[in-house]
Amino acid sequence: MTDAALQTEFEFTLPRGYVDDDGTLHKEGRIRLATAADEIKPLKDPRVQSNSSYLTVLLLGRVVTELGDLETVDEGVIENLFVTDLEYLQAMYERINNQGTNAVETACPDCGEVFEIDAESGSHATPSDTGSGMEPTGMDATGASTDEIRAEFGGGSAAGGSPESKFTEATPTEEAVETDSGNPTE
């Protein structure tokens, strides 16, 4: 056994950010680990029963504890997130609740060594004796953008697509291929 404390809250920075009624942009926030009640209670909600996709909104409304200077974060805030931010939080929810960490596995493009990086900071994720769980390396280990990492690892459900699945499978977006001239082709 280890004496390290269980991390139950994780910081995040939304890719675009939530714009409130006053036009203020909120990007930085915190999300906590989900409890059994967080996943069970929304299933009784009539909005979820008529549209299973709404489960995502209710779950995130329960577990996102802070967003910028907002007094409360609820399903109303989550409903008004940009799709990019909603997908970002879905992927983070899956990582922290299924792995207990906000890290993604990747490989060195030169040597092929497999390792984990912190999805938020991009720092090398290495278990440490101090219990911090992360040691920054100061380098971009893969050369991949945050969007590429999210597209590859985010949004999938560990529940295998059952009706109780929290999120639908994310599909990577098409990207233009660059020609030798530097102009993208479609």
Side-chain angles (χ1 to χ4, degrees):
M1 276 199 206
T2 64
D3 291 334
L6 174 65
Q7 183 176 0
T8 60
E9 285 203 341
F10 300 81
E11 294 181 357
F12 63 81
T13 303
L14 295 175
R16 295 200 189 267
Y18 170 76
V19 180
D20 66 19
D21 293 336
D22 297 326
T24 304
L25 181 66
H26 305 272
K27 293 181 83 166
E28 311 243 334
R30 296 179 68 79
I31 185 172
R32 65 171 173 78
L33 291 176
T35 64
D38 291 327
E39 294 202 359
I40 294 169
K41 287 182 180 182
L43 294 172
K44 296 178 182 178
D45 191 292
R47 296 170 291 186
V48 173
Q49 292 174 354
S50 67
N51 180 354
S52 62
S53 296
Y54 203 74
L55 180 58
T56 300
V57 173
L58 293 181
L59 279 171
L60 291 175
R62 292 176 65 97
V63 298
V64 175
T65 59
E66 293 178 23
L67 183 56
D69 296 330
L70 298 176
E71 287 185 31
T72 61
V73 180
D74 57 17
E75 65 261 15
V77 170
I78 303 300
E79 286 175 333
N80 288 297
L81 289 174
F82 294 109
V83 172
T84 304
D85 295 329
L86 182 67
E87 290 175 349
Y88 174 84
L89 289 173
Q90 287 175 325
M92 185 174 186
Y93 177 97
E94 290 293 328
R95 283 191 304 271
I96 66 172
N97 284 289
N98 293 334
Q99 301 171 10
T101 180
N102 191 24
V104 292
E105 189 174 90
T106 190
C108 173
D110 295 328
C111 70
E113 179 184 351
V114 176
F115 58 95
E116 289 186 340
I117 61 170
D118 179 89
E120 184 67 22
S121 68
S123 63
H124 191 169
T126 306
S128 72
D129 296 272
T130 63
S132 70
M134 298 297 184
E135 293 177 34
T137 61
M139 65 177 202
D140 180 1
T142 65
S145 72
T146 305
D147 289 338
E148 291 169 327
I149 293 169
R150 275 197 298 275
E152 183 175 349
F153 295 98
S157 172
S162 68
E164 291 80 24
S165 293
K166 294 168 286 302
F167 305 120
T168 58
E169 195 70 25
T171 55
T173 58
E174 288 186 30
E175 294 182 17
V177 177
E178 191 168 307
T179 63
D180 289 337
S181 67
N183 295 325
T185 61
E186 294 185 14

